[in-house]
Amino acid sequence: MATVAVIGLGGMGSRMAGRLLDAGHDLVVWNRTPQRASDLVARGAVPADSPAEAARRADMVITMLSDPAALQDVAEGPQGILAGVTASTTLVEMSTVGPAAVRRLAGMLPDGVGLLDAPVLGSVSEAESGSLRIFVGGPEPLVQRWMPVLGALGSPQHVGPLGAGAAAKLVANSTLFGVLAVLGEALALADGLGLPRDIAFEVLSATPVGSQADRRRPAIESGQFPLRFALSLARKDVDLVLSAAESASVELPVAAAARQWVVAAQEAGLGDGDYSAVIAHITDAARSA
């Protein structure tokens, strides 16, 4: 068993922290809004007054934050994580922040402090059940040391050196936006050509996007998109994908086109809802065109 600090107790971080408690680890928690830690504290977690204090108390520090700016805020400064880590600490960055943020963090670490990047694939239900896919980047000995702890959260996979985890997550996420755009446009085309929705879904079930069409059909037909992954965060992720591609001199015209729909849906006021609502925005936009 280890002492693990979890910094960032939103929908994902709080559930991951709960899994660590259930696995028997000692847990230290910190969040900008302290009230979010109350349930975990009631279950035995120890609250910290700052990210630095959380890091000082822990063998392993997990960050689960919204974006690169949030990571920078909690990692740097006199009360940040980097002020509290020691040579016996391993920092595990599990947010979706992209390779550039991981490189920045690595460049600021004190000597001897271990760092893994281990972003996750999945949403709150997978975090709660411990069935996340975890893409881990870092040196083999450090990865193997912490595999048992990460295993309480899901299925960790070592994908390469430091930064590879962040890269793998962007590769995975790049498919999400394209699939939503294709599905939305296919339904918009069916509407425009007068094909009834039930027939359209039957047709789509026989295509490469069939599983996504079947999965999202109830939400599309009801117009209710339960929040699993906020559209505002999807906008951040698609921007990270395109920024990383630009840095690598890779052109992604399909991803750029999918981003246009994500941006349009956010500008239409859907940013606080689930990202899959972009499908409804595409079909609505087609009707009003």
Side-chain angles (χ1 to χ4, degrees), residues 141-187:
L142 194 63
V143 171
Q144 293 306 318
R145 176 184 173 189
W146 294 110
M147 276 291 191
V149 178
L150 294 174
L153 305 176
S155 302
Q157 176 186 0
H158 188 197
V159 294
L162 188 67
K169 178 60 188 296
L170 294 189
V171 170
N173 273 13
S174 70
T175 68
L176 302 179
F177 313 115
V179 167
L180 285 185
V182 166
L183 181 55
E185 290 188 3
L187 290 172

mmCIF file of all heavy atoms in Angstrom, residues 141-187:
data_model
loop_
_atom_site.group_PDB
_atom_site.id
_atom_site.type_symbol
_atom_site.label_atom_id
_atom_site.label_comp_id
_atom_site.label_asym_id
_atom_site.label_seq_id
_atom_site.Cartn_x
_atom_site.Cartn_y
_atom_site.Cartn_z
ATOM 1 N N PRO A 141 11.235 0.989 -15.385
ATOM 2 C CA PRO A 141 11.251 0.651 -13.950
ATOM 3 C C PRO A 141 10.231 1.452 -13.142
ATOM 4 O O PRO A 141 9.582 0.911 -12.241
ATOM 5 C CB PRO A 141 12.686 0.993 -13.523
ATOM 6 C CG PRO A 141 13.490 0.938 -14.773
ATOM 7 C CD PRO A 141 12.569 1.429 -15.852
ATOM 8 N N LEU A 142 10.072 2.730 -13.467
ATOM 9 C CA LEU A 142 9.119 3.562 -12.735
ATOM 10 C C LEU A 142 7.688 3.148 -13.058
ATOM 11 O O LEU A 142 6.819 3.118 -12.172
ATOM 12 C CB LEU A 142 9.340 5.038 -13.079
ATOM 13 C CG LEU A 142 8.659 6.063 -12.171
ATOM 14 C CD1 LEU A 142 9.196 5.953 -10.745
ATOM 15 C CD2 LEU A 142 8.869 7.475 -12.710
ATOM 16 N N VAL A 143 7.439 2.810 -14.318
ATOM 17 C CA VAL A 143 6.109 2.348 -14.707
ATOM 18 C C VAL A 143 5.747 1.085 -13.942
ATOM 19 O O VAL A 143 4.657 0.962 -13.374
ATOM 20 C CB VAL A 143 6.044 2.101 -16.227
ATOM 21 C CG1 VAL A 143 4.730 1.423 -16.603
ATOM 22 C CG2 VAL A 143 6.194 3.405 -17.003
ATOM 23 N N GLN A 144 6.666 0.126 -13.918
ATOM 24 C CA GLN A 144 6.376 -1.135 -13.247
ATOM 25 C C GLN A 144 6.183 -0.948 -11.750
ATOM 26 O O GLN A 144 5.366 -1.638 -11.128
ATOM 27 C CB GLN A 144 7.500 -2.145 -13.518
ATOM 28 C CG GLN A 144 7.582 -2.596 -14.964
ATOM 29 C CD GLN A 144 6.255 -3.143 -15.469
ATOM 30 O OE1 GLN A 144 5.553 -3.891 -14.780
ATOM 31 N NE2 GLN A 144 5.886 -2.761 -16.693
ATOM 32 N N ARG A 145 6.897 -0.011 -11.163
ATOM 33 C CA ARG A 145 6.756 0.241 -9.731
ATOM 34 C C ARG A 145 5.333 0.648 -9.377
ATOM 35 O O ARG A 145 4.793 0.246 -8.339
ATOM 36 C CB ARG A 145 7.736 1.337 -9.305
ATOM 37 C CG ARG A 145 7.598 1.745 -7.833
ATOM 38 C CD ARG A 145 8.521 2.900 -7.510
ATOM 39 N NE ARG A 145 8.275 3.412 -6.165
ATOM 40 C CZ ARG A 145 8.816 4.525 -5.675
ATOM 41 N NH1 ARG A 145 9.633 5.258 -6.438
ATOM 42 N NH2 ARG A 145 8.528 4.916 -4.444
ATOM 43 N N TRP A 146 4.702 1.452 -10.252
ATOM 44 C CA TRP A 146 3.402 2.009 -9.923
ATOM 45 C C TRP A 146 2.242 1.331 -10.633
ATOM 46 O O TRP A 146 1.087 1.735 -10.460
ATOM 47 C CB TRP A 146 3.401 3.514 -10.201
ATOM 48 C CG TRP A 146 4.323 4.247 -9.284
ATOM 49 C CD1 TRP A 146 5.509 4.850 -9.597
ATOM 50 C CD2 TRP A 146 4.164 4.416 -7.872
ATOM 51 N NE1 TRP A 146 6.092 5.383 -8.480
ATOM 52 C CE2 TRP A 146 5.287 5.136 -7.394
ATOM 53 C CE3 TRP A 146 3.174 4.032 -6.956
ATOM 54 C CZ2 TRP A 146 5.454 5.485 -6.064
ATOM 55 C CZ3 TRP A 146 3.335 4.364 -5.623
ATOM 56 C CH2 TRP A 146 4.461 5.084 -5.181
ATOM 57 N N MET A 147 2.509 0.289 -11.410
ATOM 58 C CA MET A 147 1.428 -0.441 -12.084
ATOM 59 C C MET A 147 0.373 -0.965 -11.103
ATOM 60 O O MET A 147 -0.828 -0.893 -11.386
ATOM 61 C CB MET A 147 1.993 -1.595 -12.913
ATOM 62 C CG MET A 147 2.475 -1.196 -14.294
ATOM 63 S SD MET A 147 1.093 -0.740 -15.377
ATOM 64 C CE MET A 147 1.933 -0.664 -16.955
ATOM 65 N N PRO A 148 0.749 -1.499 -9.931
ATOM 66 C CA PRO A 148 -0.299 -1.998 -9.018
ATOM 67 C C PRO A 148 -1.254 -0.916 -8.548
ATOM 68 O O PRO A 148 -2.456 -1.170 -8.401
ATOM 69 C CB PRO A 148 0.516 -2.580 -7.847
ATOM 70 C CG PRO A 148 1.838 -2.936 -8.438
ATOM 71 C CD PRO A 148 2.102 -1.867 -9.463
ATOM 72 N N VAL A 149 -0.755 0.296 -8.316
ATOM 73 C CA VAL A 149 -1.643 1.383 -7.903
ATOM 74 C C VAL A 149 -2.543 1.790 -9.071
ATOM 75 O O VAL A 149 -3.759 1.944 -8.912
ATOM 76 C CB VAL A 149 -0.837 2.586 -7.393
ATOM 77 C CG1 VAL A 149 -1.770 3.736 -7.022
ATOM 78 C CG2 VAL A 149 0.006 2.194 -6.178
ATOM 79 N N LEU A 150 -1.963 1.963 -10.246
ATOM 80 C CA LEU A 150 -2.761 2.336 -11.409
ATOM 81 C C LEU A 150 -3.787 1.266 -11.744
ATOM 82 O O LEU A 150 -4.868 1.567 -12.258
ATOM 83 C CB LEU A 150 -1.852 2.597 -12.607
ATOM 84 C CG LEU A 150 -0.919 3.805 -12.474
ATOM 85 C CD1 LEU A 150 0.039 3.873 -13.665
ATOM 86 C CD2 LEU A 150 -1.709 5.096 -12.353
ATOM 87 N N GLY A 151 -3.464 0.013 -11.426
ATOM 88 C CA GLY A 151 -4.389 -1.081 -11.698
ATOM 89 C C GLY A 151 -5.689 -0.976 -10.926
ATOM 90 O O GLY A 151 -6.702 -1.562 -11.324
ATOM 91 N N ALA A 152 -5.699 -0.234 -9.814
ATOM 92 C CA ALA A 152 -6.941 -0.018 -9.067
ATOM 93 C C ALA A 152 -7.898 0.898 -9.824
ATOM 94 O O ALA A 152 -9.093 0.955 -9.507
ATOM 95 C CB ALA A 152 -6.633 0.576 -7.694
ATOM 96 N N LEU A 153 -7.371 1.603 -10.828
ATOM 97 C CA LEU A 153 -8.174 2.571 -11.572
ATOM 98 C C LEU A 153 -8.640 2.041 -12.922
ATOM 99 O O LEU A 153 -9.533 2.633 -13.538
ATOM 100 C CB LEU A 153 -7.364 3.851 -11.787
ATOM 101 C CG LEU A 153 -6.792 4.496 -10.524
ATOM 102 C CD1 LEU A 153 -5.925 5.694 -10.893
ATOM 103 C CD2 LEU A 153 -7.908 4.908 -9.581
ATOM 104 N N GLY A 154 -8.020 0.975 -13.392
ATOM 105 C CA GLY A 154 -8.383 0.442 -14.692
ATOM 106 C C GLY A 154 -7.297 -0.442 -15.245
ATOM 107 O O GLY A 154 -6.622 -1.165 -14.502
ATOM 108 N N SER A 155 -7.109 -0.365 -16.563
ATOM 109 C CA SER A 155 -6.134 -1.208 -17.259
ATOM 110 C C SER A 155 -5.001 -0.337 -17.790
ATOM 111 O O SER A 155 -5.132 0.283 -18.861
ATOM 112 C CB SER A 155 -6.807 -1.947 -18.419
ATOM 113 O OG SER A 155 -7.877 -2.738 -17.962
ATOM 114 N N PRO A 156 -3.886 -0.261 -17.050
ATOM 115 C CA PRO A 156 -2.767 0.557 -17.523
ATOM 116 C C PRO A 156 -1.974 -0.151 -18.619
ATOM 117 O O PRO A 156 -1.755 -1.364 -18.564
ATOM 118 C CB PRO A 156 -1.920 0.759 -16.264
ATOM 119 C CG PRO A 156 -2.258 -0.392 -15.376
ATOM 120 C CD PRO A 156 -3.662 -0.811 -15.708
ATOM 121 N N GLN A 157 -1.553 0.613 -19.605
ATOM 122 C CA GLN A 157 -0.742 0.106 -20.714
ATOM 123 C C GLN A 157 0.463 1.002 -20.895
ATOM 124 O O GLN A 157 0.313 2.211 -21.099
ATOM 125 C CB GLN A 157 -1.576 0.074 -22.006
ATOM 126 C CG GLN A 157 -0.799 -0.355 -23.242
ATOM 127 C CD GLN A 157 -1.614 -0.225 -24.516
ATOM 128 O OE1 GLN A 157 -2.775 0.183 -24.481
ATOM 129 N NE2 GLN A 157 -1.019 -0.549 -25.648
ATOM 130 N N HIS A 158 1.655 0.427 -20.821
ATOM 131 C CA HIS A 158 2.872 1.221 -21.031
ATOM 132 C C HIS A 158 3.042 1.437 -22.525
ATOM 133 O O HIS A 158 3.238 0.484 -23.285
ATOM 134 C CB HIS A 158 4.082 0.484 -20.451
ATOM 135 C CG HIS A 158 5.328 1.312 -20.457
ATOM 136 N ND1 HIS A 158 6.589 0.759 -20.311
ATOM 137 C CD2 HIS A 158 5.529 2.652 -20.597
ATOM 138 C CE1 HIS A 158 7.486 1.726 -20.343
ATOM 139 N NE2 HIS A 158 6.864 2.878 -20.518
ATOM 140 N N VAL A 159 2.968 2.690 -22.971
ATOM 141 C CA VAL A 159 2.974 2.988 -24.404
ATOM 142 C C VAL A 159 4.286 3.596 -24.888
ATOM 143 O O VAL A 159 4.431 3.861 -26.085
ATOM 144 C CB VAL A 159 1.787 3.904 -24.781
ATOM 145 C CG1 VAL A 159 0.470 3.183 -24.583
ATOM 146 C CG2 VAL A 159 1.818 5.198 -23.994
ATOM 147 N N GLY A 160 5.242 3.841 -23.975
ATOM 148 C CA GLY A 160 6.512 4.398 -24.418
ATOM 149 C C GLY A 160 7.128 5.314 -23.383
ATOM 150 O O GLY A 160 6.721 5.317 -22.217
ATOM 151 N N PRO A 161 8.106 6.107 -23.782
ATOM 152 C CA PRO A 161 8.797 7.001 -22.849
ATOM 153 C C PRO A 161 7.900 8.150 -22.413
ATOM 154 O O PRO A 161 6.754 8.288 -22.872
ATOM 155 C CB PRO A 161 9.987 7.505 -23.664
ATOM 156 C CG PRO A 161 9.533 7.415 -25.081
ATOM 157 C CD PRO A 161 8.661 6.196 -25.154
ATOM 158 N N LEU A 162 8.423 8.975 -21.525
ATOM 159 C CA LEU A 162 7.658 10.107 -21.016
ATOM 160 C C LEU A 162 7.114 10.949 -22.175
ATOM 161 O O LEU A 162 7.849 11.286 -23.107
ATOM 162 C CB LEU A 162 8.551 10.967 -20.122
ATOM 163 C CG LEU A 162 7.832 12.094 -19.368
ATOM 164 C CD1 LEU A 162 6.875 11.514 -18.346
ATOM 165 C CD2 LEU A 162 8.843 13.009 -18.702
ATOM 166 N N GLY A 163 5.852 11.277 -22.107
ATOM 167 C CA GLY A 163 5.176 12.016 -23.175
ATOM 168 C C GLY A 163 4.359 11.136 -24.090
ATOM 169 O O GLY A 163 3.445 11.616 -24.769
ATOM 170 N N ALA A 164 4.678 9.830 -24.106
ATOM 171 C CA ALA A 164 3.944 8.918 -24.985
ATOM 172 C C ALA A 164 2.508 8.729 -24.523
ATOM 173 O O ALA A 164 1.605 8.519 -25.342
ATOM 174 C CB ALA A 164 4.656 7.569 -25.060
ATOM 175 N N GLY A 165 2.276 8.788 -23.212
ATOM 176 C CA GLY A 165 0.915 8.666 -22.719
ATOM 177 C C GLY A 165 0.042 9.812 -23.207
ATOM 178 O O GLY A 165 -1.083 9.603 -23.688
ATOM 179 N N ALA A 166 0.560 11.034 -23.101
ATOM 180 C CA ALA A 166 -0.172 12.202 -23.586
ATOM 181 C C ALA A 166 -0.423 12.120 -25.079
ATOM 182 O O ALA A 166 -1.503 12.486 -25.568
ATOM 183 C CB ALA A 166 0.591 13.479 -23.234
ATOM 184 N N ALA A 167 0.573 11.630 -25.817
ATOM 185 C CA ALA A 167 0.410 11.482 -27.262
ATOM 186 C C ALA A 167 -0.658 10.443 -27.586
ATOM 187 O O ALA A 167 -1.508 10.650 -28.462
ATOM 188 C CB ALA A 167 1.745 11.092 -27.892
ATOM 189 N N ALA A 168 -0.632 9.313 -26.873
ATOM 190 C CA ALA A 168 -1.608 8.250 -27.123
ATOM 191 C C ALA A 168 -3.026 8.733 -26.859
ATOM 192 O O ALA A 168 -3.963 8.393 -27.594
ATOM 193 C CB ALA A 168 -1.292 7.032 -26.254
ATOM 194 N N LYS A 169 -3.200 9.523 -25.804
ATOM 195 C CA LYS A 169 -4.543 10.023 -25.492
ATOM 196 C C LYS A 169 -5.051 10.942 -26.600
ATOM 197 O O LYS A 169 -6.236 10.893 -26.964
ATOM 198 C CB LYS A 169 -4.525 10.767 -24.152
ATOM 199 C CG LYS A 169 -5.865 11.373 -23.753
ATOM 200 C CD LYS A 169 -6.955 10.309 -23.608
ATOM 201 C CE LYS A 169 -8.344 10.929 -23.397
ATOM 202 N NZ LYS A 169 -8.456 11.678 -22.149
ATOM 203 N N LEU A 170 -4.199 11.783 -27.157
ATOM 204 C CA LEU A 170 -4.631 12.651 -28.249
ATOM 205 C C LEU A 170 -4.988 11.844 -29.490
ATOM 206 O O LEU A 170 -5.945 12.167 -30.202
ATOM 207 C CB LEU A 170 -3.559 13.690 -28.574
ATOM 208 C CG LEU A 170 -3.261 14.725 -27.492
ATOM 209 C CD1 LEU A 170 -2.339 15.807 -28.039
ATOM 210 C CD2 LEU A 170 -4.533 15.358 -26.942
ATOM 211 N N VAL A 171 -4.224 10.790 -29.754
ATOM 212 C CA VAL A 171 -4.546 9.917 -30.890
ATOM 213 C C VAL A 171 -5.933 9.302 -30.699
ATOM 214 O O VAL A 171 -6.762 9.287 -31.622
ATOM 215 C CB VAL A 171 -3.478 8.819 -31.054
ATOM 216 C CG1 VAL A 171 -3.931 7.764 -32.060
ATOM 217 C CG2 VAL A 171 -2.154 9.428 -31.498
ATOM 218 N N ALA A 172 -6.189 8.803 -29.483
ATOM 219 C CA ALA A 172 -7.502 8.212 -29.207
ATOM 220 C C ALA A 172 -8.613 9.251 -29.337
ATOM 221 O O ALA A 172 -9.651 9.003 -29.967
ATOM 222 C CB ALA A 172 -7.510 7.593 -27.804
ATOM 223 N N ASN A 173 -8.402 10.414 -28.756
ATOM 224 C CA ASN A 173 -9.446 11.440 -28.782
ATOM 225 C C ASN A 173 -9.683 11.994 -30.177
ATOM 226 O O ASN A 173 -10.782 12.460 -30.483
ATOM 227 C CB ASN A 173 -9.089 12.580 -27.824
ATOM 228 C CG ASN A 173 -9.576 12.312 -26.416
ATOM 229 O OD1 ASN A 173 -9.962 11.190 -26.091
ATOM 230 N ND2 ASN A 173 -9.554 13.318 -25.569
ATOM 231 N N SER A 174 -8.666 11.955 -31.016
ATOM 232 C CA SER A 174 -8.846 12.488 -32.368
ATOM 233 C C SER A 174 -9.937 11.730 -33.122
ATOM 234 O O SER A 174 -10.583 12.289 -34.017
ATOM 235 C CB SER A 174 -7.528 12.429 -33.148
ATOM 236 O OG SER A 174 -7.175 11.087 -33.457
ATOM 237 N N THR A 175 -10.161 10.480 -32.757
ATOM 238 C CA THR A 175 -11.206 9.699 -33.437
ATOM 239 C C THR A 175 -12.603 10.080 -32.955
ATOM 240 O O THR A 175 -13.572 9.936 -33.699
ATOM 241 C CB THR A 175 -11.006 8.194 -33.214
ATOM 242 O OG1 THR A 175 -11.250 7.860 -31.834
ATOM 243 C CG2 THR A 175 -9.582 7.775 -33.581
ATOM 244 N N LEU A 176 -12.714 10.543 -31.707
ATOM 245 C CA LEU A 176 -14.032 10.813 -31.141
ATOM 246 C C LEU A 176 -14.760 11.908 -31.899
ATOM 247 O O LEU A 176 -15.942 11.791 -32.206
ATOM 248 C CB LEU A 176 -13.903 11.220 -29.663
ATOM 249 C CG LEU A 176 -13.232 10.228 -28.718
ATOM 250 C CD1 LEU A 176 -13.181 10.806 -27.314
ATOM 251 C CD2 LEU A 176 -13.968 8.897 -28.731
ATOM 252 N N PHE A 177 -14.043 12.994 -32.186
ATOM 253 C CA PHE A 177 -14.682 14.151 -32.804
ATOM 254 C C PHE A 177 -15.067 13.860 -34.249
ATOM 255 O O PHE A 177 -16.131 14.280 -34.718
ATOM 256 C CB PHE A 177 -13.764 15.358 -32.706
ATOM 257 C CG PHE A 177 -13.180 15.528 -31.327
ATOM 258 C CD1 PHE A 177 -11.819 15.397 -31.096
ATOM 259 C CD2 PHE A 177 -14.004 15.775 -30.241
ATOM 260 C CE1 PHE A 177 -11.284 15.528 -29.835
ATOM 261 C CE2 PHE A 177 -13.483 15.907 -28.962
ATOM 262 C CZ PHE A 177 -12.122 15.780 -28.760
ATOM 263 N N GLY A 178 -14.202 13.141 -34.950
ATOM 264 C CA GLY A 178 -14.509 12.784 -36.326
ATOM 265 C C GLY A 178 -15.733 11.893 -36.427
ATOM 266 O O GLY A 178 -16.594 12.071 -37.302
ATOM 267 N N VAL A 179 -15.845 10.923 -35.496
ATOM 268 C CA VAL A 179 -17.001 10.020 -35.513
ATOM 269 C C VAL A 179 -18.289 10.792 -35.253
ATOM 270 O O VAL A 179 -19.308 10.573 -35.930
ATOM 271 C CB VAL A 179 -16.815 8.896 -34.476
ATOM 272 C CG1 VAL A 179 -18.130 8.154 -34.248
ATOM 273 C CG2 VAL A 179 -15.740 7.920 -34.932
ATOM 274 N N LEU A 180 -18.267 11.704 -34.289
ATOM 275 C CA LEU A 180 -19.470 12.490 -34.012
ATOM 276 C C LEU A 180 -19.874 13.325 -35.225
ATOM 277 O O LEU A 180 -21.058 13.430 -35.559
ATOM 278 C CB LEU A 180 -19.247 13.408 -32.809
ATOM 279 C CG LEU A 180 -19.255 12.768 -31.425
ATOM 280 C CD1 LEU A 180 -19.153 13.855 -30.366
ATOM 281 C CD2 LEU A 180 -20.501 11.937 -31.205
ATOM 282 N N ALA A 181 -18.886 13.940 -35.856
ATOM 283 C CA ALA A 181 -19.189 14.770 -37.025
ATOM 284 C C ALA A 181 -19.760 13.926 -38.160
ATOM 285 O O ALA A 181 -20.748 14.315 -38.806
ATOM 286 C CB ALA A 181 -17.932 15.509 -37.478
ATOM 287 N N VAL A 182 -19.166 12.758 -38.407
ATOM 288 C CA VAL A 182 -19.662 11.883 -39.479
ATOM 289 C C VAL A 182 -21.082 11.413 -39.174
ATOM 290 O O VAL A 182 -21.957 11.414 -40.052
ATOM 291 C CB VAL A 182 -18.709 10.679 -39.654
ATOM 292 C CG1 VAL A 182 -19.358 9.594 -40.508
ATOM 293 C CG2 VAL A 182 -17.400 11.127 -40.285
ATOM 294 N N LEU A 183 -21.320 11.027 -37.922
ATOM 295 C CA LEU A 183 -22.647 10.549 -37.556
ATOM 296 C C LEU A 183 -23.681 11.666 -37.672
ATOM 297 O O LEU A 183 -24.778 11.468 -38.219
ATOM 298 C CB LEU A 183 -22.612 9.996 -36.129
ATOM 299 C CG LEU A 183 -23.916 9.429 -35.559
ATOM 300 C CD1 LEU A 183 -24.486 8.353 -36.472
ATOM 301 C CD2 LEU A 183 -23.666 8.869 -34.166
ATOM 302 N N GLY A 184 -23.336 12.849 -37.181
ATOM 303 C CA GLY A 184 -24.258 13.970 -37.285
ATOM 304 C C GLY A 184 -24.560 14.330 -38.725
ATOM 305 O O GLY A 184 -25.727 14.574 -39.088
ATOM 306 N N GLU A 185 -23.540 14.356 -39.565
ATOM 307 C CA GLU A 185 -23.750 14.721 -40.959
ATOM 308 C C GLU A 185 -24.535 13.647 -41.702
ATOM 309 O O GLU A 185 -25.341 13.953 -42.600
ATOM 310 C CB GLU A 185 -22.406 14.999 -41.633
ATOM 311 C CG GLU A 185 -21.756 16.289 -41.136
ATOM 312 C CD GLU A 185 -20.515 16.663 -41.930
ATOM 313 O OE1 GLU A 185 -20.198 15.955 -42.903
ATOM 314 O OE2 GLU A 185 -19.884 17.685 -41.576
ATOM 315 N N ALA A 186 -24.308 12.379 -41.346
ATOM 316 C CA ALA A 186 -25.075 11.304 -41.984
ATOM 317 C C ALA A 186 -26.558 11.433 -41.660
ATOM 318 O O ALA A 186 -27.426 11.265 -42.540
ATOM 319 C CB ALA A 186 -24.550 9.945 -41.520
ATOM 320 N N LEU A 187 -26.878 11.761 -40.413
ATOM 321 C CA LEU A 187 -28.275 11.945 -40.039
ATOM 322 C C LEU A 187 -28.860 13.196 -40.706
ATOM 323 O O LEU A 187 -30.032 13.210 -41.111
ATOM 324 C CB LEU A 187 -28.404 12.041 -38.524
ATOM 325 C CG LEU A 187 -28.143 10.733 -37.759
ATOM 326 C CD1 LEU A 187 -28.101 10.986 -36.264
ATOM 327 C CD2 LEU A 187 -29.217 9.692 -38.101
#
